[in-house]
């Protein structure tokens, strides 16, 4: 009996609690678990959204009123609007398309009808005496366009410091040497050789090597410009005095240019950048080996961060020292003395 009484009491309390919840829900009071708070927050966010929409609609209406008033004012006063780039800014910060189209139509009408003149201006000036400032927008727009085109033109090219000679695959080394001699005899101190064909790199080296000793010629590999062409500057009476007993590095056509540049760099500076030797010699024979030497000197100058001046000269040696000297026992090679200036 006691157990049944307790179960009945618990069931009655539960029913009473449910009835209380229903009554509070109907009366709009706070419900458990924050249900009413969530509804209040949702209602607030809804009101804020409606407020934002109403403000946006008001801004659009204000922009429309401002645009229409500006159009009406322009039409009533009959102002001449010069330039199609001017526009009225609405309160929202956007350019009114209607105003722009209206002004373009006015410009078209003004160009067909001609510039408007007042009676005072007509009596004071003739059409031939009218100032250029009173020209129509249709006449002023080509001048503005021409000014903009002139401003967009590329700057004028800088004149070279020394005379430049282009070297291609059809250039002969002897003729190139003759051109260098003619320029030096005229009094120029240097000539810039521009390589237009990578296959003609040996032509530049052999042309400098065959210059007469009276010029004391030397050459330098310049930094490449935006056109990425190799430039060699040949100078007269600028041959640095080399050190004695300079190390000789033989170069063949199979030598790697990157490794050759690193080997030359290691003779001039150490890993920290301190100066070591001042002179080194490269010896080669053949056009392919000359190509490798020019590339190696250029890469060595970049790696060592030094200015390298080189002077190539022809060297004749006997092929077999045991045999008597003669034309058949001669080996012609090129010895390049590289000095870190």
């Amino acid at each position: 009996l006691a157990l049944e009484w307790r179960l009945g009491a618990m069931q009655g309390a539960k029913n009473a609690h449910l009835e209380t919840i229903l009554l509070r829900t109907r009366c709009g009071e706070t419900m458990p678990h924050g249900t009413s708070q969530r509804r209040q927050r949702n209602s607030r966010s809804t009101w804020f959204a409606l407020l934002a929409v109403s403000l946006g609609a008001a801004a659009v209406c204000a922009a429309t009123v401002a645009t229409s008033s500006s159009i009406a004012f322009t039409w009533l006063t009959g102002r001449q609007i010069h330039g199609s780039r001017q526009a009225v800014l609405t309160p929202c910060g956007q350019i009114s398309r209607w105003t722009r189209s209206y002004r373009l139509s006015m410009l078209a009408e003004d160009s067909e009808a001609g510039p408007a003149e007042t009676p005072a201006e007509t009596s004071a000036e003739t059409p031939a005496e009218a100032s250029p400032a009173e020209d129509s927008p249709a006449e002023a727009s080509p001048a503005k366009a021409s000014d903009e085109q002139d401003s967009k033109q590329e700057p004028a090219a800088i004149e070279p410091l020394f005379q430049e000679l282009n070297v291609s695959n059809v250039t002969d080394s002897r003729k190139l040497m003759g051109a260098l001699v003619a320029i030096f005899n005229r009094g120029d101190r240097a000539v810039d050789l521009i390589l237009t064909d990578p296959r003609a790199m040996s032509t530049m080296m052999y042309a400098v090597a065959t210059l007469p000793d009276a010029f004391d010629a030397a050459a330098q590999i310049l930094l490449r410009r935006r056109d990425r062409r190799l430039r060699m500057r040949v100078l007269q009476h600028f041959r640095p005095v080399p050190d004695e007993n300079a190390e000789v590095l033989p170069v063949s056509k199979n030598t790697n240019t990157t490794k050759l540049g690193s080997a030359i760099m290691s003779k001039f500076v150490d890993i920290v950048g301190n100066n070591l030797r001042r002179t080194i010699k490269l010896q080669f024979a053949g056009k392919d080996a000359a190509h490798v030497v020019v590339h190696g000197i250029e890469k060595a100058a970049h790696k060592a961060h030094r200015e390298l001046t080189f002077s190539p000269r022809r060297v004749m040696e006997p092929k077999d020292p045991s045999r008597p000297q003669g034309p058949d026992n001669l080996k012609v090679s090129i010895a390049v003395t590289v000095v870190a200036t």
Side-chain angles (χ1 to χ4, degrees), residues 170-221:
V170 298
T171 304
D172 184 61
S173 60
R174 294 183 180 180
K175 294 182 179 179
L176 180 60
M177 183 268 295
L180 294 174
V181 170
I183 295 173
F184 288 156
N185 288 332
R186 194 175 57 188
D188 294 354
R189 291 295 306 274
V191 181
D192 291 342
L193 303 180
I194 303 176
L195 185 66
T196 59
D197 193 336
R199 297 173 295 179
M201 199 171 295
S202 60
T203 305
M204 305 167 71
M205 181 66 73
Y206 277 94
V208 178
T210 55
L211 283 172
D213 296 336
F215 292 107
D216 290 334
Q220 296 174 348
I221 304 296

Side-chain angles (χ1 to χ4, degrees), residues 240-254:
V241 179
D243 297 338
E244 297 180 358
N245 301 324
E247 184 178 355
V248 179
L249 297 179
V251 181
S252 66
K253 64 179 182 179
N254 298 324

Side-chain angles (χ1 to χ4, degrees), residues 67 71 87-88 90 94-105:
T67 304
I71 293 174
V88 178
T90 62
Q94 298 179 352
I95 301 176
S96 176
R97 297 182 179 178
W98 294 353
T99 306
R100 186 186 305 174
S101 60
Y102 175 74
R103 291 184 177 184
L104 290 176
S105 63

